[in-house]
Amino acid sequence: MKLKRMFLATAAALGLATSAQAVELEVTHWWTSGGEAAAVAEFAKAFNENTDHTWVDGAIAGGGGTARPIMISRIIGGDPMGATQFNHGRQTEELIEAGLMLDLTDVAEAEGWADIVNPSSLLASCTVDGKVYCVPVNIHSWQWLWLSNQAFADAGLGVPSNWDEYVAAMPALQEAGKIPLALGGQAWQANGAFSVMAVALAGEENWLKVNSGKDASVAAGPAYTKVFEAAAAAREFSKDTNVIDWNLATAKVINGEAGGQIMGDWAQGEFAVAGKVAGEDYTCLPGLGVTEVISTGGDAFYFPKNDDPEIEAAQKELASLMMSKAVQVAFNLKKGSLPVRGDVDLAAANDCMKKGLEILAEGNILISGDQVLSADTTGQIDDLMTEFWSTDLSAADAQARYADIIASAD
């Protein structure tokens, strides 16, 4: 009740609208794994307990690749939900341009989001023509390698401290009956793993030239040749994963069936649900242990326009709650992500989250690919990486096709 009193008092002081009538607000998202479900439940709890409204959960299984087309189709087709998840970046450009998303600028300005969101690029990704259209809720970084301490102990090996040591251990892991590298079958996982390798092995500067600068000569050059050859070698040790969903691949690391997984920090939510302790049961290496960097991608919630003023008021109440200190802490501790607010207390963070916070504080951050590549370009790379990781497509041929995609990227 304390949070509700604080929220209502703040809303009144800032002149924010609060709905006069109770609203059932449908919220769509693709958070369906154990850790994800525990995290999104914190949003629902805060909304149900601190407003007069009801959160109607609209979870869509299958990840963002499955969910986004469904969400977009509903919005375009005139059947909008109350709120919906997208990633930070360019996924909603056309919806905003078509006038289908609610302008949240009044809430953002009243609450000073520009002063509290860190890094500022997250709010910039929500801003089009000076207007704010979404609330960023977390910082998720792809730049992590998760290692099973049990798997390495079973193989009689020490836990690696960097990518080269991990690669050197892969044959012994395989001989011990372990899957050296767990990689699920969804396209975004293949693309994500490659991108993390590119940052670590080609270097941040070259990654930026390719992804932000759309420099096809770098994509076709020796720095990326190294990445493609390393990925081709690593894929030989990932073929026995035999799962589709990312969280099932993470489960193999949790259970000691696999040595490691390249995956974003949302994997921490799965370790937490399983009762595993960072530094004891598993090890996390930012930047593959090669370069301590985190990317600042993540999730944001958009609010499709609705003709009902009561629904609009409830939408803005939810947006405000999602940015509040207490909800930011509760949600991100469960999600394994970092808060977008730079003024919250995360004393309860585990060792891996603390590593991320330290890197963020030092400013060793990298913009997310979602923020610089269009959905169309990302889709093309997803398709190529799916083929590359699942077939014997040569590193040279894959690199040539990748460079062609970058050459025409928007």
Side-chain angles (χ1 to χ4, degrees):
M1 292 303 293
K2 181 180 179 181
L3 179 60
K4 182 174 183 178
R5 290 195 297 270
M6 290 174 60
F7 169 70
L8 292 175
T10 300
L14 295 174
L16 293 177
T18 56
S19 179
Q21 296 182 10
V23 167
E24 290 188 347
L25 199 70
E26 181 190 11
V27 184
T28 56
H29 59 86
W30 56 81
W31 288 328
T32 57
S33 74
E36 292 172 330
V40 76
E42 294 294 337
F43 282 150
K45 177 182 177 182
F47 190 61
N48 291 337
E49 292 183 355
N50 298 289
T51 74
D52 294 325
H53 314 304
T54 302
W55 172 293
V56 178
D57 200 70
I60 301 173
T66 298
R68 278 189 294 270
I70 296 172
M71 295 166 176
I72 292 170
S73 177
R74 282 189 56 184
I75 295 168
I76 293 174
D79 180 28
M81 61 295 290
T84 188
Q85 171 195 10
F86 284 100
N87 294 122
H88 298 320
R90 301 177 60 184
Q91 294 175 353
T92 60
E93 282 180 339
E94 294 181 358
L95 295 173
I96 293 172
E97 291 169 358
L100 297 173
M101 290 299 187
L102 180 65
D103 180 0
L104 301 173
T105 306
D106 57 342
V107 182
E109 290 182 348
E111 298 186 347
W113 290 4
D115 297 323
I116 60 176
V117 174
N118 179 43
S120 60
S121 61
L122 299 180
L123 190 59
S125 291
C126 288
T127 306
V128 178
D129 296 332
K131 296 181 179 180
V132 177
Y133 288 94
C134 70
V135 50
V137 296
N138 59 13
I139 303 169
H140 262 320
S141 174
W142 249 108
Q143 308 299 314
W144 293 90
L145 172 61
W146 306 93
L147 300 173
S148 167
N149 291 9
Q150 183 62 53
F152 285 93
D154 290 346
L157 301 168
V159 179
S161 61
N162 58 52
W163 176 256
D164 287 341
E165 292 178 3
Y166 177 42
V167 171
M170 285 184 180
L173 285 169
Q174 194 169 57
E175 289 176 7
K178 307 295 182 181
I179 300 166
L181 174 63
L183 181 67
Q186 293 162 320
W188 64 270
Q189 295 181 60
N191 188 0
F194 176 84
S195 183
V196 173
M197 294 178 67
V199 172
L201 304 181
E204 296 170 49
E205 183 178 353
N206 284 321
W207 184 91
L208 283 168
K209 287 179 179 178
V210 170
N211 290 270
S212 185
K214 315 299 190 293
D215 191 332
S217 66
V218 176
Y224 266 71
T225 297
K226 178 180 179 181
V227 181
F228 275 95
E229 289 178 348
R235 72 183 174 187
E236 298 304 312
F237 293 98
S238 68
K239 290 182 176 180
D240 293 330
T241 306
N242 295 328
V243 296
I244 299 298
D245 295 333
W246 71 271
N247 55 302
L248 297 181
T250 304
K252 290 184 178 293
V253 180
I254 291 172
N255 296 331
E257 299 174 54
Q261 179 189 28
I262 299 173
M263 185 51 60
D265 51 14
W266 48 90
Q268 288 194 89
E270 302 305 299
F271 284 101
V273 167
K276 301 300 182 181
V277 178
E280 296 180 12
D281 301 307
Y282 66 97
T283 297
C284 54
L285 298 180
L288 304 186
V290 177
T291 176
E292 287 208 340
V293 62
I294 61 171
S295 53
T296 52
D299 303 288
F301 277 83
Y302 290 77
F303 300 82
K305 276 189 176 179
N306 194 295
D307 293 333
D308 188 333
E310 299 292 343
I311 291 178
E312 180 176 321
Q315 289 173 316
K316 291 185 176 182
E317 287 184 67
L318 178 57
S320 177
L321 273 172
M322 285 178 162
M323 187 61 77
S324 67
K325 285 186 178 182
V327 176
Q328 275 282 298
V329 171
F331 169 77
N332 283 291
L333 285 176
K334 293 284 180 66
K335 192 68 168 63
S337 48
L338 304 180
V340 299
R341 295 186 66 130
D343 59 352
V344 296
D345 181 10
L346 279 174
N350 67 27
D351 286 351
C352 292
M353 188 179 289
K354 286 177 180 176
K355 284 184 182 181
L357 289 168
E358 290 169 2
I359 295 170
L360 179 64
E362 292 168 359
N364 296 335
I365 58 177
L366 188 68
I367 196 167
S368 169
D370 292 329
Q371 294 169 280
V372 291
L373 297 176
S374 71
D376 178 64
T377 297
T378 299
Q380 293 179 57
I381 298 173
D382 280 350
D383 291 342
L384 172 61
M385 290 302 160
T386 297
E387 181 181 354
F388 176 65
W389 282 94
S390 61
T391 70
D392 59 358
L393 179 65
S394 72
D397 288 345
Q399 183 179 7
R401 288 169 55 182
Y402 179 75
D404 286 342
I405 293 173
I406 297 299
S408 60
D410 55 1

